[in-house]
Amino acid sequence: MRHLLSIADFSKAEAISILDTANELARVSDGAVKKLPTLRGRTIVNLFAEDSTRTRISFEAAAKRLSADVINFSAKGSSVSKGESLKDTAMTLQAMGADAVVIRHFASGAAQRLADSQWMSGSVVNAGDGTHEHPSQALLDAFTIRKHLGLGKSDLEGLSVAIVGDVLHSRVARSNILLLSKLGAKVVLVAPPTLLPVGVESWPVSISYDLDSVIPFVDVVMMLRVQQERMTEMYFPNAREYSRYFGLNSDRMKSMKPGAIVMHPGPMNRGLEISAEVADSSRSVITEQVTNGVSVRMAILYVLLTGGALEAGGN
Amino acid sequence: MSAIDLVIKGAQLPDGSTADICIDGEYIVDVSSTYKGQAHTSIDGKGCVILPGLVDLHTHLREPGREDAETVLTGSRAGAKGGFTALSAMANTSPVADTAGVVEQVYRLGQEAGLLDVFPIGAVTQGLKGVTLSEIGAMADSVARVRVFSDDGNCVSDPLVMRRALEYIKKFGGVIAQHAQDPRMTVGSQMNEGEISARLGLKGWPAVAEEAIIARDVLLADHVQSRLHICHLTTAGGVEIIRWAKARGINVTAEVTPHHLLLTDDLASSYDPVYKVNPPLRTESDVHALRQALADGTIDIVATDHAPHPLEAKECEWQEAAFGMVGLETALSIVQMTMVDSGLMSWQQVADRMSHTPALIGGYENQGQRIAKGSYANLVVINPTKLWRVDRDLLLSNSSNTPYHGRELPGFVEHTIFRGKPTLLSGVISGEGGK
Amino acid sequence: MSVALSAPDIKRALTRISHEILEKNQGASSIVLLGIPTRGAHLAQRIASIISEIEGVEISCGTLDITLFRDDLRLRAPKAIMPTTIPPSGVENCDVILVDDVLFSGRTIRSALDALGEIGRPRTVQLAALVDRGHRELPIKADFVGKNLPTSKSQSVRVLLSEIDGRDEVSIEGEAG
Ligand SMILES: [Zn+2]
């Protein structure tokens, strides 16, 4: 594996091996070892053409724990926001000798463009491209679900996950749908019809417009962030109505299965898609998602930046 | 008997027969089974098909304003290379071709290039803004004799403006060529809305945004009894509306581009903006419907929508890239591949869809004539069995945004004759303009 | 292919190593055995149980994965990371015995020393290997060796253990060069 662009690019076994690797890395970092020499001498560039402090910090922490050199190339103050082309930016990164570029970009497909072009030779990690995918988020979500509900199994067979909210514009949803179903989970999308894409019928999911009818039957409720601009684009009448039908509040949480968990990729709009009580409840694994993000991103960098394909098992 | 200027020997005519075409001055002076006389130039047409020179009703020549993408001269060269003897220069230049001054300038540049006829298309509304009619009458009466009006690139979306335009052009028998795209339904749209756009996270461009405008406009054309042309039809639903309108006797014609006859929306999966085009590539079943409709005459013509762009407009993220593909140099090959080699159409029908009918729609009297004694000698000789590989760096267009780079295509354009003079000989540009 | 150690040979070698470990460390009180996965981990377990039997006490035994500390990661396909399990009492001021199946270039042991350094500061670090096949590339030497096996570089040494492979055997493959 040379790039991480889309969940569609890898097999179930590869996905599991990344999760297993993340698991071992988490154990190592939980212990006394704070820093591993694994990627010493390698340069990783965080190219953020769109603001996302949390994802950038997570990748940065992952890279540093593996002893890589990290260069942050963020939108503010960089040429990306001033209309320098992706090509020119890529050629600059190439000249800097980047072994990997972690790219967050407002345009769908930007990571793939970078990987497919001849502009640079390093590995490309998609840290969120437009409304397309956010594969590292899906991996950390799957990791978190497996840890809580996996019963020691390597996959998510038998679990059901509701993804609730703005699926149409969500890269988190796209990556999670691909990954969770690949790992054997049943995925149900819950959203107003306006926020589901035309063509959703071809996805490996079931669809519901009614959150209350879904909540009692799923093991995971994954809430998606509602972007402020959707309010003005007539996807739903107003925030209050959205919240009433698609928000997760403590009343709805009461009807969840015992042991079922609440997830959110962050940043949250408390009071809109999720109430403060739910976000801070014992069912919520939202802060743990952040913690797991570092281990999963370490695993991604490890797999991409060491040699060729991942070998299974021993030596 | 004195020697004639040019004879093309042994080529197959659109009707399947074989003849020698004798040309003197600007005219075909004879079509005989075997010409025994003298000629200054003799072209061996054995194994080739000869068609009347191709007429494109939809070309973006970019001059004035974006000469880095294309000029009237480079576009003329690309046209001659592709077998065209007439192009129709779309109005979305800078400044917009919405006055007699601009259309006359483009017309004059075409004449100076001298490789083919360049017929300017006038803008329907000032600045293509869709609000106020441009000086349609003045453009019609200018040296350029504009008959086709279009805001192409933009849709004339206001129904009242469209109605007025359709009515106004009846004065001189003009036609409104509509770029059918409801603007509200396509804000920020990037590709056909469906399974692929859902997966790729690219903003969808629904078929209905095109079909709703077509439906409205055929009804308007019917109501005011005027003439409507639909640019670059792309959907099966659009085909159904045109079929219905024609059955009702509504005066509507429609075009399809070569790329919509071949390419589909799944190509966007590469996120390579070379496949980004307006209107977008649609699905396999749309392509099938378009081919059937072109064969049965529901769609009247093929037009290239040749849309050159500089390199940097395509070497970027998909959503940042410009819409459009160059098409003049590959049009005939794609039509042969999709329509002739597939058995859907004869060469006679190709002549009809790519020469006679577009000339008729545009009112281009010296173009699209039958290959017969007394006709203008505008001709193209194509070798249908010769394969050639598209190389974007070898295109004669100023731009290289072809979706066919590296593809091997059938049908090599050997010779193009414009007003009796070769503008392309054995695949190489000749004549004054080619200097 | 020739068999270098049979199952009884392996058993005898491990028993001898266990005795040598006890002798050198004057008993088992401060010993922590750390096996290097995969086969070294099983060998460490076996030695631990032999020592327990001799001494009648539980022996601290764990695993130490060195994958993330290798110096050739840029060149080789990434390996799945194996568990590192340090006994709860840790390694501080202990006598750590690293256990591996085959001692070859010494690079694995160098990586293990780096990995161990991140975990704590043992009083001593010693090395036990079932087989020493020579060809060292670093100044590293085993304290306890089951058998010295002179080999050529082109040959490979195959260690089978019943826990993984169903039987115990060490063999040499390839022609002696
Ligand atoms: Zn158009």
Side-chain angles (χ1 to χ4, degrees):
Chain A
M1 201 187 286
R2 203 162 94 78
H3 306 296
L4 179 69
L5 305 175
S6 161
I7 297 291
D9 296 341
F10 51 86
S11 66
K12 177 176 178 178
E14 283 174 310
I16 287 173
S17 78
I18 291 175
L19 299 185
D20 289 347
T21 302
N23 204 36
E24 291 309 324
L25 286 165
R27 286 165 43 117
V28 174
S29 345
D30 278 354
V33 185
K34 282 286 167 253
K35 198 155 175 163
L36 295 160
T38 317
L39 298 181
R40 194 179 286 149
R42 321 299 297 276
T43 300
I44 294 171
V45 176
N46 282 325
L47 172 60
F48 276 58
E50 185 185 74
D51 253 351
S52 173
T53 312
R54 51 177 57 220
T55 304
R56 183 180 57 74
I57 287 175
S58 182
F59 269 108
E60 189 171 345
K64 286 186 169 163
R65 280 191 199 169
L66 293 172
S67 302
D69 297 322
V70 180
I71 299 173
N72 284 314
F73 202 91
S74 66
K76 285 211 175 66
S78 89
S79 42
V80 178
S81 56
K82 293 182 203 138
E84 179 179 300
S85 75
L86 187 61
K87 179 182 176 180
D88 290 333
T89 306
M91 286 163 70
T92 305
L93 301 182
Q94 176 71 9
M96 284 177 183
D99 294 293
V101 174
V102 175
I103 177 175
R104 161 65 69 97
H105 201 286
F106 52 85
S108 298
Q112 190 177 327
R113 281 293 277 159
L114 205 56
D116 290 349
S117 74
Q118 310 299 312
W119 306 329
M120 55 162 286
S121 58
S123 291
V124 176
V125 181
N126 183 2
D129 63 327
T131 55
H132 176 224
E133 279 207 45
H134 194 351
S136 67
Q137 177 73 42
L139 285 161
L140 78 88
D141 288 341
F143 182 86
T144 307
I145 295 172
R146 190 174 80 163
K147 216 166 152 185
H148 278 269
L149 306 166
L151 301 170
K153 286 187 307 189
S154 63
D155 62 12
L156 304 178
E157 205 72 54
L159 293 175
S160 57
V161 181
I163 299 178
V164 185
D166 184 1
V167 174
L168 178 62
H169 300 96
S170 175
R171 51 190 168 217
V172 174
R174 278 177 182 73
S175 286
N176 261 308
I177 289 162
L178 289 171
L179 182 61
L180 299 178
S181 55
K182 202 180 286 264
L183 292 173
K186 281 200 184 66
V187 178
V188 53
L189 305 181
V190 187
T194 45
L195 288 174
L196 291 168
V198 167
V200 74
E201 322 77 62
S202 64
W203 291 3
V205 295
S206 52
I207 308 279
S208 171
Y209 306 135
D210 179 12
L211 184 55
D212 289 314
S213 70
V214 169
I215 282 212
F217 304 103
V218 294
D219 303 291
V220 179
V221 180
M222 185 183 289
M223 303 306 295
L224 300 173
R225 176 178 166 79
V226 179
Q227 306 278 350
Q228 288 302 318
E229 57 262 35
R230 306 298 165 232
M231 313 283 182
T232 54
E233 290 168 355
M234 278 187 293
Y235 287 102
F236 45 85
N238 58 35
R240 196 150 29 98
E241 178 153 327
Y242 181 88
S243 221
R244 190 186 318 140
Y245 291 111
F246 298 99
L248 188 58
N249 52 32
S250 29
D251 273 351
R252 285 206 167 99
M253 188 169 66
K254 284 192 195 106
S255 65
M256 285 174 69
K257 271 166 82 167
I261 57 174
V262 174
M263 304 178 82
H264 192 297
M268 290 180 276
N269 295 304
R270 285 173 185 248
L272 179 49
E273 73 265 6
I274 189 165
S275 73
E277 303 82 68
V278 175
D280 301 332
S281 74
S282 59
R283 287 187 185 277
S284 163
V285 297
I286 295 167
T287 50
E288 201 192 312
Q289 286 173 270
V290 179
T291 313
N292 293 339
V294 178
S295 310
V296 167
R297 285 165 178 135
M298 285 170 78
I300 290 166
L301 295 175
Y302 170 69
V303 169
L304 292 184
L305 286 178
T306 54
L310 190 69
E311 268 175 26
N315 42 329
Chain B
M1 204 170 112
S2 62
I4 58 167
D5 288 338
L6 175 64
V7 63
I8 302 165
K9 297 181 79 82
Q12 180 195 312
L13 273 67
D15 65 7
S17 66
T18 302
D20 294 350
I21 318 288
C22 304
I23 297 159
D24 203 39
E26 298 193 332
Y27 296 95
I28 297 172
V29 292
D30 199 11
V31 177
S32 69
S33 53
T34 39
Y35 178 66
K36 296 271 192 336
Q38 299 285 309
H40 293 298
T41 310
S42 177
I43 292 173
D44 181 10
K46 257 194 243 39
C48 292
V49 172
I50 188 162
L51 304 176
L54 307 182
V55 176
D56 192 19
L57 206 61
H58 193 148
T59 328
H60 295 276
L61 291 177
R62 303 291 186 223
E63 192 177 4
R66 287 310 303 265
E67 289 82 357
D68 57 329
E70 198 79 286
T71 65
V72 172
L73 176 59
T74 58
S76 296
R77 283 186 189 141
K81 181 86 169 83
F84 288 88
T85 54
L87 303 179
S88 309
M90 270 300 173
N92 62 340
T93 48
S94 175
V96 170
D98 56 2
T99 61
V102 178
V103 293
E104 284 185 351
Q105 183 198 355
V106 172
Y107 182 72
R108 190 173 42 75
L109 287 166
Q111 299 241 301
E112 281 169 14
L115 288 163
L116 40 68
D117 282 327
V118 173
F119 298 109
I121 290 174
V124 178
T125 64
Q126 287 176 27
L128 310 174
K129 292 196 171 73
V131 179
T132 317
L133 291 185
S134 55
E135 290 171 17
I136 289 175
M139 289 188 272
D141 286 342
S142 74
V143 177
R145 279 192 78 254
V146 179
R147 288 294 174 272
V148 183
F149 293 87
S150 180
D151 275 1
D152 185 67
N154 294 344
C155 179
V156 181
S157 65
D158 184 325
L160 185 63
V161 173
M162 188 61 181
R163 175 198 168 141
R164 294 283 187 259
L166 283 166
E167 284 178 307
Y168 196 74
I169 49 150
K170 287 166 70 178
K171 179 170 177 279
F172 47 83
V175 60
I176 302 291
Q178 174 70 297
H179 170 114
Q181 177 193 353
D182 185 291
R184 286 284 290 150
M185 266 192 273
T186 51
V187 175
S189 291
Q190 298 294 323
M191 65 171 296
N192 179 51
E193 183 167 39
E195 264 179 48
I196 312 284
S197 66
R199 175 160 61 79
L200 298 180
L202 289 172
K203 186 144 194 248
W205 186 311
V208 61
E210 180 172 332
E211 293 156 358
I213 296 292
I214 298 173
R216 181 199 74 181
D217 287 354
V218 296
L219 294 173
L220 275 176
D222 190 24
H223 182 59
V224 301
Q225 288 294 296
S226 185
R227 197 153 69 93
L228 171 70
H229 177 73
I230 299 295
C231 295
H232 41 53
L233 201 68
T234 68
T235 71
V239 166
E240 283 312 306
I241 296 164
I242 297 292
R243 193 169 277 142
W244 173 86
K246 286 188 166 182
R248 290 204 14 153
I250 296 170
N251 200 348
V252 60
T253 52
E255 75 190 29
V256 63
T257 71
H259 46 271
H260 288 111
L261 288 173
L262 179 66
L263 308 176
T264 49
D265 62 348
D266 56 313
L267 289 164
S269 302
S270 65
Y271 290 103
D272 185 342
V274 78
Y275 301 113
K276 180 175 174 177
V277 65
N278 175 353
L281 301 177
R282 303 288 188 184
T283 66
E284 200 69 52
S285 64
D286 291 309
V287 165
H288 180 73
L290 292 171
R291 290 186 188 186
Q292 293 299 326
L294 182 63
D296 70 23
T298 303
I299 294 174
D300 304 82
I301 66 166
V302 173
T304 65
D305 195 6
H306 175 80
H309 288 291
L311 211 53
E312 63 272 17
K314 291 287 190 181
E315 271 193 330
C316 56
E317 305 85 343
W318 179 284
Q319 76 180 47
E320 302 300 298
F323 289 99
M325 305 169 166
V326 293
L328 286 170
E329 295 167 67
T330 48
L332 191 52
S333 292
I334 301 298
V335 170
Q336 182 192 325
M337 182 171 141
T338 56
M339 304 302 295
V340 181
D341 294 350
S342 64
L344 285 168
M345 268 176 25
S346 65
W347 285 110
Q348 182 69 63
Q349 286 171 299
V350 173
D352 181 62
R353 310 294 193 268
M354 296 187 80
S355 180
H356 304 315
T357 308
L360 207 63
I361 294 169
Y364 308 154
E365 284 159 14
N366 296 338
Q367 293 285 341
Q369 297 179 352
R370 308 277 147 193
I371 302 176
K373 186 172 174 175
S375 290
Y376 256 96
N378 292 324
L379 299 162
V380 54
V381 178
I382 177 174
N383 183 343
T385 57
K386 184 167 167 184
L387 299 173
W388 64 288
R389 192 171 294 281
V390 181
D391 183 340
R392 62 186 166 214
D393 299 323
L394 299 181
L395 295 178
L396 297 186
S397 166
N398 243 0
S399 294
S400 56
N401 51 308
T402 173
Y404 310 115
H405 176 68
R407 273 212 206 204
E408 194 163 70
L409 299 180
F412 185 76
V413 178
E414 296 280 358
H415 318 290
T416 307
I417 315 294
F418 173 58
R419 287 197 200 147
K421 303 276 180 296
T423 51
L424 185 81
L425 266 179
S426 304
V428 178
I429 293 290
S430 72
E432 294 88 68
K435 270 184 269 183
Chain C
M1 194 195 88
S2 66
V3 175
L5 291 173
S6 64
D9 293 338
I10 291 172
K11 187 160 188 249
R12 273 193 295 277
L14 292 178
T15 306
R16 180 172 48 76
I17 288 174
S18 301
H19 282 288
E20 286 174 8
I21 289 172
L22 282 173
E23 199 177 316
K24 174 157 178 171
N25 293 285
Q26 287 147 17
S29 55
S30 63
I31 288 175
V32 175
L33 290 163
L34 291 181
I36 297 170
T38 316
R39 285 176 179 75
H42 294 293
L43 291 172
Q45 281 294 344
R46 290 197 199 181
I47 292 170
S49 57
I50 295 170
I51 293 177
S52 300
E53 234 169 78
I54 301 166
E55 295 286 293
V57 291
E58 277 301 304
I59 299 297
S60 287
C61 183
T63 58
L64 182 66
D65 184 52
I66 54 95
T67 311
L68 295 163
F69 293 83
R70 298 184 71 101
D71 60 6
D72 58 355
L73 285 169
R74 201 189 275 254
L75 312 169
R76 298 165 57 109
K79 291 205 157 106
I81 300 166
M82 306 304 284
T84 290
T85 331
I86 303 299
S89 52
V91 298
E92 221 56 36
N93 293 319
C94 293
D95 295 304
V96 168
I97 323 285
L98 298 173
V99 183
D100 204 0
D101 51 356
V102 179
L103 179 58
F104 186 24
S105 68
R107 288 180 187 274
T108 299
I109 304 307
R110 185 208 59 82
S111 303
L113 291 170
D114 285 353
L116 195 53
E118 293 291 336
I119 288 162
R121 189 179 179 283
R123 185 166 57 216
T124 64
V125 182
Q126 300 157 36
L127 172 60
L130 180 60
V131 170
D132 183 348
R133 60 168 294 193
H135 306 289
R136 211 76 77 244
E137 293 166 7
L138 296 171
I140 280 170
K141 180 177 160 293
D143 299 275
F144 315 102
V145 176
K147 187 172 171 69
N148 285 298
L149 275 186
T151 56
S152 79
K153 260 194 153 170
S154 62
Q155 288 176 313
S156 64
V157 173
R158 198 161 69 123
V159 176
L160 302 179
L161 294 179
S162 55
E163 293 92 331
I164 303 165
D165 313 296
R167 67 194 163 103
D168 284 359
E169 184 180 284
V170 176
S171 58
I172 301 175
E173 292 176 345
E175 289 302 307

